[in-house]
Each structure stands twice: as C-alpha cells, then as structure tokens.
Amino acid sequence: MASSAIDSELFGAFFAPPAYRDIFSDRNRVQKWLDIERVLAEVQAELGMIPAAAAAEIARHCDAAKIDLSQIGAGVAATAHPLVPALRIVEGLCADGLGEFIHYGATTQDIMDTGIVLQVKEAWPLLKGDLGACRTALAALAGRHRATVMVGRTHGQQALPITFGFKVAVWIDEIDRHLERMTEAEPRLFVGNLTGAVGTMASFDGHGRRMQREVLTRLGLGTPRICWHAARDRYGELAFLMTQISSTLAKIANQIYTLQQIEFDELAEPHPHGKVGSSTMPHKRNPALMELTVGLGRLVRAKQVALTDALLVEHERDVSCNQVERTSIPEMMIYVGAMLTHMRYCFEGLEVKPARMRANADLLGGLLLSERVMLALGRHIGKQTAHEVVYEIAMQAFEASTPFKTALLADPRVAAHLDAETITSLLDPADYIGEAVAIVDDVIGG
C-alpha cells in the first residue's frame, strides 16, 4: 500500500508525473544495477578477467522484469544490505555456478552511484524538454503581450509602468540560463564510477582503468579521473541545479498566485469546467496549481538541504551519504518534473487580463508617473530640486486622495514650466515603458 505522495493513488497526479515516476521506480533502479553488472561482466570477459561463458550467462539473467522485487526487499531487510540480495538472485538464476562471477571486484557503491547517474541521465531529456516547452509557451505569451501595459511593482508597491511581456521576458531569460547550466553540467554529472572498495582498483588485476573506461563508455557515461566515493560534489551540483530551476518556477507561480487575487485580477491559471475551488463556497476559483507548485518548490529546497549535508563524507567511503542520496535525488527529480508539468500547462493556458492591468495602472491617480514628471521638470529647475518639489506634491496628493494632475497644476513651481497638456501627456502609462518592447523581442529571439 502506497504511503508517499509520489506513489499515492490519491495524490500521485499532483506530485509525480508517470514518466518521471517510472524512471525512478524500484523496477528501473534494479534494471540500472543489472545493466551495469551485465556490461561489467562482458568487459571483464573480454579482458580475460572472468570466463566468457560466465559473462554470457550473467547477461542472460540481467532483466529486472523477471525478478520479484519483493524478494529483493525481503533480502534487504534480512541482510541490511541494499545490493547483495539482488546479486544473489541473479547468481541463483545462472546455470553451472557461472553466477559466481557477477560483480567481480566491484563494490556496492560503484553500482549504486553509477545506477543513480544512469537514472538521472534517462530523466534529463524529459527535464530539458519540459523546461524548453515552458520557455516556448512563455515566449508566445511575451510576444502577444510585448506592449500590454501593466504596473511594475517594487517592495510590493506600484513603482513604474512595464509591459506584461517584459515581466514574462525576465522569466524567459532566467529559464534560458537554467537550460545553459543543464547543458554545461552534463559532462560533470553523467560520470560513473567502478573503482572497487577504496577506489584503488586493486581488485581488478591491473585492468581497472581500461575496464572502467570501457564499461562506462558502453553505458554512455564519462570516466572519472579518480574514484568519487568520497567526493559527492556531482550530486551536490545536481541538487543546486534542480533547486535553481524549482525556485524559478515557484517564484513565477507565486507571482501568478498574487496577481490572480481579486484585488489584482490581472492573471488567472487555467480553470477548466469541473475544477472545484471549495467544498463549501461554490464561487471559488482558486489558484490550486500555483499553490501546488509553490509547495513542491519548498519540498525540492528541503531535499537540497539534505543533499548538501551529504557532501560531508568520512574517509574513503561512508554510507550515511548514500542513505540521503538514494531517497532525496529521486524525490527531488520527480518533484521538479511535476513542477515543470504543472507550469507548462499553466503557461499554455494562462488567462491574461489587459483591461484590468491598465485599470490598475490608474489606481494611484497618476502618481505612477512621478518619475517621468520629475525628469521633465528637472530639465527646467534641476533634477534634485525637481525631486524635492515632486516628492512634496506627490505626498500631499497621496494623503489627500487628490489626482496627481490636479496637485501638479495647483503648484506654481510646476505650472511655471509644465502646462496642462504636457502634464496630461506625461501621465500616460502607455507612453512610459521605455525600451520594453524591443527588450522583449531581444529575449524572445534568444
């Protein structure tokens, strides 16, 4: 019976897209171990380290689909060892005692580490593809709304006009850097390890370096210069990268969540017919996916903390780090996959409300354009002096709820230089978005 959110029949759709869950399933985990053991035996036979007949027999039985995983689980509970029970099962399936040569000279962490790397590598195209699809959907949004005026907010307050396309382009630029980081990290992340108990390859009869290189090449992995049993920075880099991606997605989700509040009402996540916001309030249109995505981001960051702690390893090897990694890495990867799945759906169906964005730009009665007025006045009386004048007028207008234009025209220090027509023009948000449209086009174009 499932107890985790990832395997839950109730909540699995929220937390674990099937494709990601399958990659990090027990069945695929065991298959990766057996893939390594099969190739290891084949290469060792070619190097004369084990009989060719043994390699062929071992390879014949390295199929996780033919193995009862519950039998491995019972063995793990009995032996307190994560790999030996699986090896014993394969050994028992081999004829004529040829299974004796499985796992020749290797140590458990060789197989466990390389296995996780193979799972991560299998998931990588999914992650990059989903992140790229998010980028594509955002680029379409930015293009459609490159000139859609909205309020830019700093410190949670209205600051200056921007466009919605400009806001989205900031998200795109961040995603582009994540895609670059993923590509740059691949040569460091997709590296296996087959170096024996303490990494010296003493158990491989002088064939260690050649054997490792050949096995890892066939598995599609890079070869390390030296054993990394006690150097967990590869997993650390993976954790930080997943955390960065998840934090970007959670940040965007939180912004959509905020801008969906009725008081803002500028954006809304997709709300297909049948989606229920509340068991008691029928009118509710809750940003459920955005809340879920923010929550998943917190879970990913929690796993990153655990994996950071796992960087501290005793001497040449220490199983405490493995216990953290074998649970945290799959969960982290699955959660990031879920975030990408949810946000891609959101981006592709996001409801944008330009009229409300424009209305919100007028909420302060023109104060949103105080910088523009200050700069125009500053051409006549100096920027610093203009700042003091406009600041005084702006504070009075805000506190008295007076339209900014009225307050400006009533002040002789302003009226002496800026007439009503000029001030009206200066207070148009759509005319003060700077080079936003061109910047959006630059970002969309990559």
Side-chain angles (χ1 to χ4, degrees):
M1 182 179 294
S3 59
S4 80
I6 287 174
D7 297 317
S8 173
E9 293 183 39
L10 303 179
F11 306 118
F14 290 165
F15 293 87
Y20 290 91
R21 186 174 60 235
D22 290 347
I23 290 172
F24 292 99
S25 67
D26 281 344
R27 180 74 61 186
N28 196 45
R29 184 197 302 258
V30 172
Q31 186 58 61
K32 293 295 186 279
W33 296 346
L34 298 183
D35 289 342
I36 300 163
E37 297 290 358
R38 172 182 55 80
V39 177
L40 177 63
E42 290 170 349
V43 171
Q44 288 180 333
E46 293 169 10
L47 294 174
M49 299 170 65
I50 67 172
E57 183 67 7
I58 290 168
R60 197 162 68 89
H61 297 288
C62 284
D63 183 356
K66 299 177 181 178
I67 295 176
D68 183 354
L69 296 186
S70 65
Q71 186 180 353
I72 297 178
V76 170
T79 63
H81 196 281
L83 184 63
V84 163
L87 296 176
R88 287 176 176 173
I89 290 172
V90 176
E91 179 186 351
L93 293 172
C94 293
D96 302 324
L98 293 172
E100 292 279 355
F101 293 94
I102 191 171
H103 196 66
Y104 185 85
T107 194
T108 297
Q109 193 161 337
D110 287 339
I111 309 304
M112 303 291 281
D113 282 345
T114 305
I116 291 177
V117 171
L118 287 172
Q119 286 178 287
V120 170
K121 186 179 180 185
E122 185 177 348
W124 210 249
L126 280 178
L127 287 166
K128 291 184 79 172
D130 285 341
L131 189 57
C134 285
R135 202 260 187 214
T136 298
L138 287 173
L141 266 177
R144 287 195 299 272
H145 296 283
R146 57 206 286 272
T148 300
V149 176
M150 70 177 299
V151 172
R153 298 171 173 93
T154 61
H155 306 281
Q157 304 297 306
Q158 291 200 357
L160 289 169
I162 60 171
T163 71
F164 180 58
F166 183 85
K167 176 184 282 287
V168 173
V170 173
W171 303 341
I172 293 171
D173 195 46
E174 198 167 341
I175 286 174
D176 283 345
R177 288 192 293 277
H178 293 324
L179 288 166
E180 289 175 8
R181 292 184 186 104
M182 290 185 75
T183 299
E184 291 166 355
E186 290 169 6
R188 294 186 294 273
L189 296 182
F190 301 150
V191 176
N193 192 80
L194 291 166
T195 54
V198 293
T200 63
M201 299 183 171
S203 57
F204 297 130
D205 303 327
H207 299 290
R209 285 177 294 171
R210 181 180 175 187
M211 179 206 76
Q212 177 180 236
R213 182 172 60 254
E214 186 60 34
V215 171
L216 295 180
T217 297
R218 294 185 190 185
L219 290 169
L221 300 178
T223 303
R225 292 187 301 177
I226 193 170
C227 169
W228 54 275
H229 289 161
R232 315 308 287 176
D233 60 289
R234 287 184 171 86
Y235 289 161
E237 181 172 5
L238 173 65
F240 283 119
L241 183 51
M242 292 300 101
T243 300
Q244 286 180 305
I245 293 170
S246 70
S247 295
T248 293
L249 296 172
K251 175 192 71 176
I252 297 171
N254 188 64
Q255 288 197 32
I256 295 172
Y257 170 94
T258 299
L259 294 174
Q260 185 166 333
Q261 294 173 12
I262 296 301
E263 291 78 6
F264 288 94
D265 197 28
E266 296 180 354
L267 299 173
E269 72 172 45
H271 192 94
H273 182 71
K275 181 179 177 182
V276 177
S278 170
S279 62
T280 187
M281 296 171 285
H283 72 280
K284 294 295 290 298
R285 294 172 68 95
N286 294 340
L289 281 181
M290 300 304 95
E291 292 176 309
L292 174 59
T293 301
V294 171
L296 285 166
R298 291 170 179 159
L299 291 174
V300 172
R301 290 193 293 279
K303 298 302 175 185
Q304 186 263 321
V305 171
L307 286 165
T308 299
D309 286 345
L311 295 174
L312 177 62
V313 182
E314 286 279 347
H315 301 299
E316 278 59 60
R317 189 145 51 92
D318 167 13
V319 78
S320 66
C321 70
N322 307 139
Q323 306 289 19
V324 172
E325 292 160 352
R326 73 180 59 143
T327 58
S328 295
I329 290 175
E331 289 183 31
M332 170 178 272
M333 301 290 285
I334 291 171
Y335 292 151
V336 173
M339 295 177 76
L340 287 166
T341 300
H342 300 321
M343 292 307 290
R344 175 180 179 178
Y345 171 76
C346 174
F347 297 150
E348 291 174 347
L350 186 67
E351 183 180 355
V352 182
K353 304 180 181 183
R356 186 57 183 257
M357 289 178 173
R358 184 61 179 81
N360 285 342
D362 294 327
L363 282 179
L364 288 179
L367 288 170
L368 186 67
L369 281 301
S370 67
E371 177 189 79
R372 190 181 191 194
V373 173
M374 176 198 69
L375 293 174
L377 183 61
R379 297 188 186 98
H380 301 281
I381 64 174
K383 187 266 182 184
Q384 297 304 323
T385 300
H387 185 281
E388 297 300 323
V389 170
V390 175
Y391 170 82
E392 181 183 333
I393 297 170
M395 292 303 103
Q396 291 172 354
F398 185 89
E399 293 163 7
S401 297
T402 301
F404 191 36
K405 177 181 176 181
T406 301
L408 288 168
L409 289 172
D411 192 298
R413 295 171 295 180
V414 177
H417 303 286
L418 305 175
D419 59 24
E421 183 179 354
T422 299
I423 291 175
T424 298
S425 176
L426 291 173
L427 296 182
D428 180 4
D431 197 34
Y432 197 61
I433 57 173
E435 300 177 46
V437 172
I439 294 170
V440 171
D441 290 343
D442 286 345
V443 172
I444 290 175

